[in-house]
């Protein structure tokens, strides 16, 4: 009998139920008087709390050790707690939000950033991160777009694997890696109307083809935990969905790690209208193979009764406890209750030069140049520069910034000042950056006056961190009226106006895109965002990122994504309205900026794609290639993207799907051939009978600069 089995054998049923309960760290460290208030809604006492198995939300290594000491002193079985946290895009030194990392199209960068976060987090007492979030996002109104890596299934799968590898294997020294938890299972990103926590209703085909693959990729990559989501999925709360958890995750995919709920989501099944009360919640929860409930007491309050009445058996408890203890053993907590917590090391790592440099590089490689009418890069010999806007002096570290602090981040004003010196800068706020802000004539005039006295104007606009993230969905994802007026007023007096956007989602820019010569997005770039912005604006670095989401003209186009289906009445061209076709009378169907779009400081010429054969036989491959030439005046990086369309299929396939990408750096006048191997697996899809494979027929191949442009070559799959 191994160590874990011996521990289980010595536990009482109530101790096992407690092991399956996760609470905030404050519950453990609270005094008896404080417990009464904290646990009033939970109906828990000190004895219950003394046996819980895991905690979340604590401040640092010192508090972690204090919580662990308190727990071990009171725990009847002396099992150490496991400490978990949302380490999403950095711990104390913050790199760009996941949506920004998705824009990098660079899995090695993602691994490097994740490993950095793991070093800092483990030193501060964390053993598990609730990352990666792989929810596919097609509606930019949804607040949690910022936590995803975009609208494409293939890209999300790559980024999920990269994050897991970086967090869990990126550090050679023992104890410096984090266990990982993929979330939110399943299809949370498809919430109706883009409203957080809202209902999801979709066909099994859509679920399996587009939404499940990234979770499966995480499981195949060795993720330690899976977190269920808040939403209904086809009428059943995801937290107690036996089909997705027991049948697909456990049996079909073979996942035997820990399944945890999201915050209080068992009890929320009552609000959904699926459970009668918390006892009913507990019974439903036990019927699924879920192991830990986060911040709700259904297991601990009702499990003993369900066990005594034969509704559940003790082996069901043992399976969950075994998975939890296996994870504790894996991360070393059974041998060392403090893990890798080290206050001195944490202080050394936080905001170190090395970590700042990684975050600065990541912010550069995540920023996307949307539009540039010859203004960028600015010369460092320029005279005065006006730095304007509500975000000009703000540290933009993002919604899920863990222990990061905005006051420790470099603002755009700071970054520009480091290049030019503060004496060459003028500043005006121009607007306050509030969600529904109206323009202020005095502030607008101050900004226009500052811009008119400068040789260039840098306008820092977009969203605050709290305008995206969990619970922060928006009906209108355009810039505020005040920001639009600010752009127009500043551009009218300064032809060298650069709009720097901070955002946690795609923005609708159709009403303002023609009002300034330059638009670039920094997303929410983290600790070194301002330094990265200055590097790019003055051409010390070039733009290499591409959009991982489509930017609409107007909010009402949402949901909007490149890999859409054709309709029976497709629009011939997107530049005008057609009667009796699927289109709007007032806006194009397509995006303002397509998935995959991004400019740099040179120009590339793409040839038409060429195939090695017009026929692919079953089990064979063909090669697709394109010639790319740098026809500009600077060295630059191109990102050719491989898209494929299955022309006739059942069910119908999207107009195109990303199947690969490559990066190539060319000097002025230099050209090269970029090739992709196309395999039969890249053509496969889920059929109506439940099988997965490729069908015979015609396929179109694009190798283009984004998800909307380019011509195609054709081949036929023959079996």
């Amino acid at each position: 009998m191994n160590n874990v089995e011996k521990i289980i054998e010595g536990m009482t049923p109530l101790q096992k139920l407690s092991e399956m309960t996760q609470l905030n760290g404050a519950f453990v460290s609270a005094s008896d008087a404080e417990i009464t208030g904290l646990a009033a809604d939970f109906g828990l006492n000190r004895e219950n709390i003394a046996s819980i198995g895991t905690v979340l939300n604590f401040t640092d290594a010192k508090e972690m050790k204090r919580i662990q000491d308190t727990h071990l002193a009171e725990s009847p079985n002396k099992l150490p707690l496991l400490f978990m946290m949302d380490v999403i895009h950095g711990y104390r030194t913050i790199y760009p939000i996941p949506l920004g990392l998705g824009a990098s199209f660079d899995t090695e960068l993602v691994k490097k950033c994740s490993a950095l976060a793991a070093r800092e987090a483990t030193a501060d007492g964390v053993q598990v991160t609730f990352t990666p979030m792989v929810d596919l996002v097609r509606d930019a109104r949804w607040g949690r777009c910022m936590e995803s890596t975009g609208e494409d299934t293939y890209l999300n799968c790559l980024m999920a694997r990269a994050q897991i590898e970086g967090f869990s294997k990126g550090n050679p020294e023992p104890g410096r890696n984090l266990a990982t938890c993929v979330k939110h299972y399943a299809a949370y990103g498809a919430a109706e109307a883009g409203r957080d926590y809202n209902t999801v209703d979709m066909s099994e085909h859509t679920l399996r083809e587009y939404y499940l693959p990234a979770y499966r990729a995480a499981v195949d990559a060795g993720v330690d935990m899976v977190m269920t989501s808040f939403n209904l999925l086809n009428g059943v709360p995801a937290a107690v969905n036996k089909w997705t958890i027991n049948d697909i995750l456990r049996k079909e995919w073979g996942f035997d790690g820990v399944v945890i709920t999201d915050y209080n989501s068992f009890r929320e099944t009552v609000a959904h209208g699926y459970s009668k009360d918390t006892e009913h919640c507990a019974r439903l929860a036990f019927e699924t193979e879920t192991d830990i409930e986060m911040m709700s007491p259904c297991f601990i309050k009702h499990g003993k009764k369900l066990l005594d009445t034969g509704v559940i058996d003790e082996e069901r408890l043992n399976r969950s406890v075994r998975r939890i203890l296996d994870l504790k053993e894996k991360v070393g907590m059974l041998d060392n209750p403090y893990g890798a917590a080290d206050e001195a090391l944490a202080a050394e790592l936080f905001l170190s030069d090395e970590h700042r440099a990684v975050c600065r590089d990541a912010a550069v490689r995540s920023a996307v140049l949307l539009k540039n009418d010859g203004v960028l890069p600015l010369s460092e010999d320029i005279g005065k520069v006006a730095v304007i806007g509500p975000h000009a002096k703000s540290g933009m570290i993002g919604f899920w910034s863990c222990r990061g602090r905005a006051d420790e981040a470099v603002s755009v004003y700071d970054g520009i000042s480091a290049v030019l010196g503060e004496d060459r800068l003028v500043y005006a706020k121009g607007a306050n950056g509030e969600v529904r802000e109206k323009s202020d004539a005095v502030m607008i005039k101050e900004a226009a006056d500052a811009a008119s006295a400068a040789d260039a104007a840098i306008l820092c606009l977009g969203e605050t961190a709290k305008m995206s993230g969990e619970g922060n969905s928006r009906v209108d994802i355009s810039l505020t009226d005040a920001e639009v007026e600010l752009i127009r007023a500043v551009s009218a007096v300064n032809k060298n106006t650069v709009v720097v956007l901070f955002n946690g989602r795609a923005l609708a820019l159709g009403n303002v895109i023609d009002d300034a010569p330059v638009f670039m997005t920094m997303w929410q770039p983290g600790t070194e965002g301002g330094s990265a912005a200055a590097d790019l604006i003055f051409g010390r670095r070039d733009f290499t990122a591409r959009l991982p989401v489509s930017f609409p003209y107007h909010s009402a186009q949402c949901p909007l994504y490149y890999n859409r289906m054709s309709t029976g009445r497709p629009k011939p061209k997107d530049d005008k309205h057609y009667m009796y076709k699927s289109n709007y009378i007032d806006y194009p169907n397509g995006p303002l900026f397509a998935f995959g779009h991004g400019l740099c400081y040179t120009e590339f010429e793409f040839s038409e794609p060429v195939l090695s054969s017009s026929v692919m036989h079953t089990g064979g491959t063909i090669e697709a290639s394109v010639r790319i030439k740098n026809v500009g005046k600077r060295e630059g990086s191109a990102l050719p993207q491989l898209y494929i369309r299955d022309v006739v299929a059942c069910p119908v396939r999207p107009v195109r799907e990303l199947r690969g990408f490559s990066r190539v750096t060319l000097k002025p006048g230099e050209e090269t051939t970029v090739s992709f191997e196309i395999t039969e697996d890249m053509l496969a899809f889920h059929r109506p009978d439940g099988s997965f494979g490729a069908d015979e027929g015609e396929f179109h191949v694009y190798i283009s600069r984004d998800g909307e442009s380019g011509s195609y070559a054709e081949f036929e799959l023959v079996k």
Side-chain angles (χ1 to χ4, degrees), residues 403-558:
R403 299 300 175 217
R405 290 169 45 179
D407 63 352
E408 294 173 339
V410 179
S411 69
V412 173
Y413 184 90
D414 295 333
I416 301 295
S417 179
V419 175
L420 299 183
E422 195 165 9
D423 60 318
R424 291 163 63 189
L425 304 188
V426 290
Y427 166 75
K429 190 171 185 180
N432 290 314
E434 297 168 358
V435 178
R436 296 179 180 87
E437 184 181 6
K438 302 298 182 182
S439 60
D440 182 308
V442 173
M443 295 180 75
I444 297 291
K445 185 178 185 306
E446 288 174 351
D449 288 345
S452 65
D455 298 289
I458 312 298
L459 271 176
C460 301
L461 308 174
E463 298 183 313
T464 65
K466 293 183 179 180
M467 288 168 69
S468 62
E470 184 174 353
N472 294 325
S473 300
R474 296 177 62 186
V475 168
D476 184 356
I477 58 170
S478 60
L479 298 178
T480 65
D481 292 347
E483 289 175 312
V484 172
E485 187 172 340
L486 184 58
I487 291 172
R488 291 170 180 166
V490 169
S491 295
V493 299
N494 195 312
K495 64 181 180 180
N496 295 322
T497 295
V498 178
V499 178
V500 181
L501 297 171
F502 296 96
N503 44 303
R505 52 163 59 84
L507 295 177
L509 302 172
N511 65 328
V512 75
I513 193 64
D514 294 329
D515 293 323
V518 178
F519 282 80
M520 56 183 277
T521 178
M522 295 293 298
W523 310 105
Q524 294 167 356
T527 304
E528 286 290 325
S531 301
D535 288 341
L536 291 163
I537 288 169
F538 291 101
R540 293 182 173 186
R541 298 284 300 273
D542 199 356
F543 291 87
T544 58
R546 305 292 185 266
L547 290 179
V549 285
S550 304
F551 272 48
Y553 285 88
H554 194 283
S555 303
Q557 288 180 278
C558 296

Side-chain angles (χ1 to χ4, degrees), residues 269-424:
T269 63
V270 176
H272 279 302
Y274 195 78
S275 300
K276 180 176 65 175
D277 51 30
T278 55
E279 183 177 334
H280 190 198
C281 291
R283 181 175 65 78
L284 292 171
F286 277 115
E287 290 173 359
T288 66
E289 286 290 324
T290 303
D291 307 306
I292 300 175
E293 63 171 323
M294 181 193 296
M295 285 300 290
S296 67
C298 299
F299 282 162
I300 206 168
K301 285 181 67 175
H302 304 291
K304 185 68 165 58
K305 177 182 177 181
L306 294 173
L307 190 68
D308 292 344
T309 56
V311 175
I312 58 170
D313 59 45
E314 194 156 359
E315 180 49 36
R316 165 68 187 88
L317 298 188
N318 291 347
R319 284 198 301 272
S320 285
V321 174
R322 186 177 297 116
R323 293 180 188 122
I324 298 166
L325 295 181
D326 282 344
L327 180 56
K328 289 185 176 182
E329 187 170 58
K330 177 182 176 180
V331 301
M333 294 302 287
L334 296 184
D335 298 322
N336 176 10
Y338 302 128
D342 185 333
E343 295 98 316
L345 178 62
E348 179 183 323
L349 292 173
F350 293 167
L351 303 169
S352 66
D353 290 345
E354 177 190 354
H355 285 195
R356 278 187 175 271
V358 171
C359 292
R360 181 172 182 165
D361 181 54
V364 167
R365 292 159 69 181
S366 299
V368 181
L369 182 58
L370 301 172
K371 174 187 177 183
N372 183 22
D373 287 349
V375 170
L376 291 185
L378 297 180
S379 169
E380 293 183 27
D381 294 329
I382 199 167
K384 289 277 187 181
V385 172
V387 185
I388 299 169
H391 309 316
K393 289 191 173 183
S394 302
M396 300 301 293
I397 58 174
F399 183 87
W400 283 114
S401 51
C402 207
R403 299 300 175 217
R405 290 169 45 179
D407 63 352
E408 294 173 339
V410 179
S411 69
V412 173
Y413 184 90
D414 295 333
I416 301 295
S417 179
V419 175
L420 299 183
E422 195 165 9
D423 60 318
R424 291 163 63 189

Side-chain angles (χ1 to χ4, degrees), residues 645-654 685 694-700:
R645 179 181 186 181
D646 189 340
V647 179
V648 178
C650 177
V652 170
R653 306 299 298 146
F685 59 94
D695 287 352
E696 291 183 290
E698 180 185 355
F699 292 83
H700 292 172

Side-chain angles (χ1 to χ4, degrees), residues 369-377 536 539 541-546 597-606 628-639 663-671 705:
L369 182 58
L370 301 172
K371 174 187 177 183
N372 183 22
D373 287 349
V375 170
L376 291 185
L536 291 163
R541 298 284 300 273
D542 199 356
F543 291 87
T544 58
R546 305 292 185 266
H597 168 77
L599 306 176
C600 65
Y601 289 147
T602 191
E603 295 288 336
F604 294 99
E605 188 177 83
F606 281 56
I628 301 176
K629 183 176 181 179
N630 184 343
V631 295
K633 297 179 180 179
R634 286 181 52 142
E635 180 176 284
S637 173
L639 190 82
R663 192 175 299 282
V664 56
T665 300
L666 298 174
K667 293 180 171 60
E670 187 178 5
E671 62 181 309
R705 60 188 80 235

Side-chain angles (χ1 to χ4, degrees), residues 637-680:
S637 173
L639 190 82
Q641 300 154 39
L642 174 70
Y643 296 92
I644 298 177
R645 179 181 186 181
D646 189 340
V647 179
V648 178
C650 177
V652 170
R653 306 299 298 146
V655 294
R656 64 170 83 179
E657 297 177 278
L658 184 69
R659 287 293 180 259
F661 53 86
S662 179
R663 192 175 299 282
V664 56
T665 300
L666 298 174
K667 293 180 171 60
E670 187 178 5
E671 62 181 309
T672 191
T673 297
V674 176
S675 298
F676 297 92
E677 183 181 64
I678 299 176
T679 66
E680 189 174 346

